[in-house]
Each structure stands twice: as C-alpha cells, then as structure tokens.
Amino acid sequence: MAENIKCKTCGADVPADMKFCASCGAAVERAQAPEVSKKEEGFAENKGSKNNSFKFVKVLVSIAVVIAVLGVALVSYVFLKSEKYGKVKNMLYITNNTEKNAVVIHQDGKSKSSVDGRYVDLQYNFDETKAAFLVSEKGNWSLYYVTDEVQLIDEDVSRFSFSASGNAVAYAKKNNSSEADYELWLYSDNKHSLINEKTDGRMFVSPNGSAISYVAYDGDNKIGCVWDGKEHELGKDIIPVAVSDGAKYIYYEKDVVLYVQKGIESDERERLALFIGSFHGYLIVNKDLSQAIFYDSDRSKSYISRDGGKKESLSDERINKVITPNGTKSLHRFQNGMVDIYPISSFSDTYYKTLDYVSYFVKIYHITKQYKAIDIADDNDTTSEVFLANDGKTLIYLQSGRIYKVNGMEENPNTEVLVSEDANQLFAVSDGSAVFFTNEDNELYYQKGKSKPKLVSSDEPIDEYDPRSIRFAVFKGDSLYYAVDNELYFSSGAKGKLVNEFDYNIYSINVEGGAVIVSTYTVDNGYNSNSNIIYSAESLSLYKYRSIDGRNFELIEED
C-alpha cells in the first residue's frame, strides 16, 4: 500500500497516489527527486549490474545444488534397487580337510587358519563375512565363531543357530544334571547368557539375535517359549519354528498345524498350513520374517502370509525356491522343519520356481506387486534351468531345447528366443547380455544377445561317470570355467583357454567365497560301470582345489 503525504493547504492526510486533496480539493504537491550526476548515475547502474550478476550466480548455484541432489538421489535409487537381493561379500570360506583332520578357514587378506577335527554343521551370515561351526574331535563337540578371528565359544555343544546378521549364536549343551535336557545359551557381544536350563535342544535365533524361540520342559510337559531379554511362554505342546527380531512375528507348530502370531502378548494368530515333518515343513521367509511362503499339505497349495495376516494363495504346486541373481544366497536354518531366509525386504516383484521331484523339471512364476503369481513360461512345458540377471528383472531359461529371455515384470512381457533348438545346458552371464550353452553334440557355444553363436569348445565337457555332475561355473559375472576330463578351461566369449591341468578328472566346478572351487576324483576298485553313480566311499577319492584369481589353485581338501 502507498504511504500518505500531508496536504500543504489544509494538513489532511492524502494517499500518495492522489492528485487532489479529498478535504479541501487543493492540488497535492510532491517533493522532487534530486538530480543524479553522471558519475552517480554510472555508479548506480554498475551497482545494479553487480546485484544482477550476484543474483544470477546465486541462481546457477541453486540449480547446481538441485542437480547434485537429484544425481545423488538417482544414484542411490539405482544402487539400492540393484542391491534388492543383497550380495555375498566373499570374505570367508571354510572347508574340512580329512587328510589332515582339520577345519581350514580361508579369509580374504589373511593367512589361512585351522582347528583340529571336522565340522558337522556350518552356518554363515548373509554376506558370508562371519560364520559359526560345530567341530567333532575325539568325541568332543566344540562351537567356533569366525569374525576377524576364530574364537572357541564353548565345548560339549550339541547344536546351534547362527543369526542372519552374524551378531549372535544360540546353542544347546547337555545339562549335567539330566540326561534328556539341554541348557540353552546365547553368545552375543562377547558375553555368554544362560537362557534356560531345561530345553529339548532345538532353537531359532532371530536375524539380529534379539530374540530366540525354543521348547522348554516343565516336568513332562513341553512348553513353547520365546526369549527377548526375558522368557515368555507360548503354551503347552507348541513347537516354535522361527521368530523375528523383537518377537514381532512368531511362527510355530501345534498338532502338525503351522501358525503365525503377531507379538508375544498378542492373542492374534493365523492358521497357515498343515505342517508335516521336515520335508513338508518348509518355510521361506524374507529378511525380517514379516512375509512367509509355505506349502499346505492339506490343500496341496503354496501360500504367502504378510505381516502376520491371513494366507493368500500363490500356486497349486510346491514352491521350491525364490530365484535370485548369482552371488546372492539364502540361509538354511533347521529347528522344526527347514527355514530358508532370503536377504530381501519383500517377495513383491520376485520370481520363484516349483520343482517336480520326479522329473527334476521346474516351472517359473512372477509374484506381482499385488502378490499374485503369474506363470512366466509355457504352462504345457517344463523348464530345466533358469538364471536371473543382476537387474532382478531379466530371466533367461532353458525349456525343451530352447533358450528364452524375458522381463517377466513388464505388464505384457515379450519373450525372446535366443537359441531355437538343441540346447541342453545353459549358463548366463550376470547382466543377462550373453549365454553359454551346449548342444546335443556336447559342443560349447557363446552367444551375445541374438547374434550368431561362437564355438568355445568342441570337446565333450561331460563326466563319463556322472553326466549330471556340475561341470560349468560362471566366475565374477561373465567368465565361464568348464572342464574336459582333468583340464580346466576359461572363456569370456572366445575360444576356451587352458587354465590348469589336474592330476585327476574334474567332478564339479563351483564359485564359493569369491573363489573358483574345483573338485576332482579318482575311482578305485568297486565302481559299478552300469550304475553311472560314483558315490561309494570305498571306490572314490576326492580332492578339492581353490583359487582366488581363477588361475592359481591350491589343494584345500582331501577325502
């Protein structure tokens, strides 16, 4: 609003934009602006120019900041999205060396170490930077914990459960005052805590070690319990299967029925499935256990439960595994039935496969954002091998001699045929841009996209004693290692190059702990040439080799 000025005739206040006084009608006289000298005028113009330049610089800086923030956000988004499944950091590899009667621990950047005996149970954390293992040595069972160093946790241990984060180990040891009972202990933050003196020895520790589920004895009664700093009873004849951090979700069995309960104090529980034995009792969970996939033996269907809620139908078949990119692993834990823990936040927009235990063929499904299962491959055909690229979207699979590529997460997926016939084995590189495959003549080829295949090897990379053995492995994303008899070859798409020649025929090639693992064997007397099986301990000697760089191999195990 304009300021008022005084009328010189009557003294009334007059708005500055008025020409005449409203009180007396006199013309309003205004003060004249002072004249500005040329020098002052130039100074004013220069000052205004500087101000404008300063404002312009401020605008540019603001735009740069916005672009930088958006860039960081975009990089973060892409990085986090690509890391949906987590990655194994490949820091640790543990193996038995029967010849030396020792457990050998290989850690990146450190000299290998060992403890006497042979491990009977080994559990890693999600990224394989930590582990716990139980060693049998001359009738004694000892529990070890591997972080930056190898620590003896306790002796006379019967079984244990290792947290997915690697921060805690729950374990059971014999109660000296009772033949049938086990003491339950927790090792965390360099401290041993006695949880309960009388349990049946089964336990499950939550991902960060803040909760444990177990079965305790009260006289002759079995009581399901959860510990989260103090003990809580779930009820008689309840057998816990798994528990989340803070006991937010508790999965348990009662009268061979699987339930989920939301919290320790809650009366809310949902009946999920008929849960029979270790084979049928198979639970697939995400990393915080808020989602669970399971098979209901009563209805012969697979379901999912989210946030402790009612089950939702997924498939008329048994779900065998969630498909993840190479370098990502689930954790296997056993309490009452098998629990597979995947390092992902949600099963939304993931793939899973079902397995026919007779033919060993699989079918592939996509779990949508709405948690509906969509068949990716042909309903009337079966898939033998499948790979997920590291973008988490692109699937490459082998089906009846053909190799297909598809982004099954698109609204209308377009399935490409990469190889139209005669393929019988498949390996895909990590980004999904190329494949290695063998044909019916056991020739090995490399093909990038839909370009013409290149011959890698015309030798037969098939084991004469066991044609089903794993004879290929993709190492560090795009390099294939394959075997012909006792020779190991390497290819990144060109003709294979000889890497190493071993004393005995190569039985399998794997990539574990950031290294190429090659198992070789020699067959002694007792091999049955008609059975195509070489599992007899009397007829078979195994030798295992390991290489960090994929070139120089060290003998790490003799059996």
Side-chain angles (χ1 to χ4, degrees), residues 492-520:
S492 289
K495 190 78 172 176
K497 295 181 180 179
L498 181 65
V499 175
N500 206 316
E501 186 173 351
F502 296 91
D503 291 335
Y504 304 107
N505 280 357
I506 297 172
Y507 176 62
S508 69
I509 309 167
N510 293 290
V511 176
E512 299 177 30
V516 180
I517 307 296
V518 176
S519 296
T520 69

Side-chain angles (χ1 to χ4, degrees), residues 24 98 102 122 134 179 233 249 259 263 381 524 547:
C24 67
T98 305
L122 167 64
L134 190 60
E179 287 291 325
E233 293 186 358
Y249 305 104
Y259 295 89
D381 214 337
D524 303 319
S547 173

Side-chain angles (χ1 to χ4, degrees), residues 8 77 84 86 104 132 163 165 206 297 328 343 482 488 538:
K8 291 188 177 182
Y77 171 78
K84 172 178 180 177
V104 183
S163 69
S165 65
S206 73
S297 303
T328 301
Y482 66 95
L488 182 69
E538 287 122 10

Side-chain angles (χ1 to χ4, degrees), residues 459-490:
D459 294 317
E460 294 189 4
I462 298 294
D463 189 283
E464 62 177 306
Y465 295 118
D466 186 1
R468 295 173 302 172
S469 65
I470 301 171
R471 305 275 287 160
F472 305 87
V474 173
F475 179 58
K476 292 187 177 177
D478 60 0
S479 303
L480 183 78
Y481 283 78
Y482 66 95
V484 179
D485 297 326
N486 65 328
E487 296 175 337
L488 182 69
Y489 290 84
F490 159 88

Side-chain angles (χ1 to χ4, degrees), residues 163 187 257 280 335 433 554:
S163 69
Y187 180 78
V257 175
H280 292 280
Q335 177 168 292
S433 63
E554 173 192 10

Side-chain angles (χ1 to χ4, degrees), residues 125-373:
N125 68 333
F126 269 142
D127 61 11
E128 294 193 0
T129 57
K130 300 177 183 179
F133 58 91
L134 190 60
V135 171
S136 173
E137 167 65 4
K138 297 180 180 179
N140 297 318
W141 291 49
S142 302
L143 179 62
Y144 288 86
Y145 179 38
V146 184
T147 53
D148 292 332
E149 58 182 3
V150 182
Q151 306 172 54
L152 173 62
I153 300 301
D154 210 336
E155 297 179 329
D156 299 324
V157 174
S158 300
R159 61 175 67 179
F160 72 95
S161 178
F162 191 45
S163 69
S165 65
N167 295 333
V169 189
Y171 62 95
K173 56 186 299 183
K174 272 291 187 182
N175 186 323
N176 293 328
S177 62
S178 171
E179 287 291 325
D181 300 338
Y182 295 86
E183 294 176 351
L184 176 61
W185 290 79
L186 176 68
Y187 180 78
S188 180
D189 295 327
N190 296 316
K191 297 178 183 177
H192 294 82
S193 302
L194 178 62
I195 306 301
N196 191 294
E197 293 183 344
K198 293 186 176 183
T199 76
D200 72 351
R202 291 176 291 180
M203 82 295 292
F204 182 97
V205 63
S206 73
N208 69 5
S210 64
I212 310 170
S213 61
Y214 54 95
V215 176
Y217 285 113
D218 182 8
D220 294 331
N221 296 322
K222 287 187 175 183
I223 309 295
C225 295
V226 169
W227 178 91
D228 65 347
K230 61 180 180 178
E231 185 174 87
H232 307 268
E233 293 186 358
L234 299 174
K236 182 180 176 183
D237 297 327
I238 285 178
I239 303 174
V241 175
V243 63
S244 70
D245 294 333
K248 186 176 182 180
Y249 305 104
I250 305 164
Y251 299 89
Y252 64 83
E253 175 198 323
K254 184 173 183 180
D255 299 327
V256 299
V257 175
L258 177 67
Y259 295 89
V260 60
Q261 178 174 314
K262 295 177 71 171
I264 295 171
E265 305 299 335
S266 174
D267 292 329
E268 292 184 54
R269 70 173 186 177
E270 291 290 340
R271 182 194 187 280
L272 299 182
L274 192 64
F275 204 64
I276 304 175
S278 61
F279 180 76
H280 292 280
Y282 184 56
L283 195 65
I284 298 172
V285 296
N286 63 337
K287 65 181 181 181
D288 67 358
L289 279 76
S290 63
Q291 298 181 3
I293 295 174
F294 48 89
Y295 182 75
D296 190 342
S297 303
D298 189 30
R299 300 175 183 269
S300 298
K301 287 185 176 183
S302 293
Y303 296 87
I304 186 170
S305 171
R306 295 182 284 147
D307 301 320
K310 294 182 181 297
K311 63 184 180 184
E312 305 166 55
S313 178
L314 279 181
S315 174
D316 291 336
E317 299 167 281
R318 186 189 308 278
I319 292 177
N320 170 256
K321 185 179 181 182
V322 175
I323 302 170
T324 60
N326 285 337
T328 301
K329 292 185 178 180
S330 63
L331 301 179
H332 307 289
R333 301 292 186 256
F334 184 85
Q335 177 168 292
N336 180 57
M338 180 66 74
V339 179
D340 270 8
I341 314 170
Y342 283 82
I344 56 179
S345 299
S346 170
F347 291 123
S348 168
D349 262 347
T350 58
Y351 298 100
Y352 70 83
K353 61 184 181 180
T354 60
L355 175 65
D356 185 321
Y357 286 93
V358 177
S359 66
Y360 288 95
F361 287 108
V362 302
K363 288 189 175 182
I364 312 166
Y365 296 86
H366 169 221
I367 302 178
T368 67
K369 288 183 172 65
Q370 293 74 35
Y371 294 89
K372 303 298 181 184

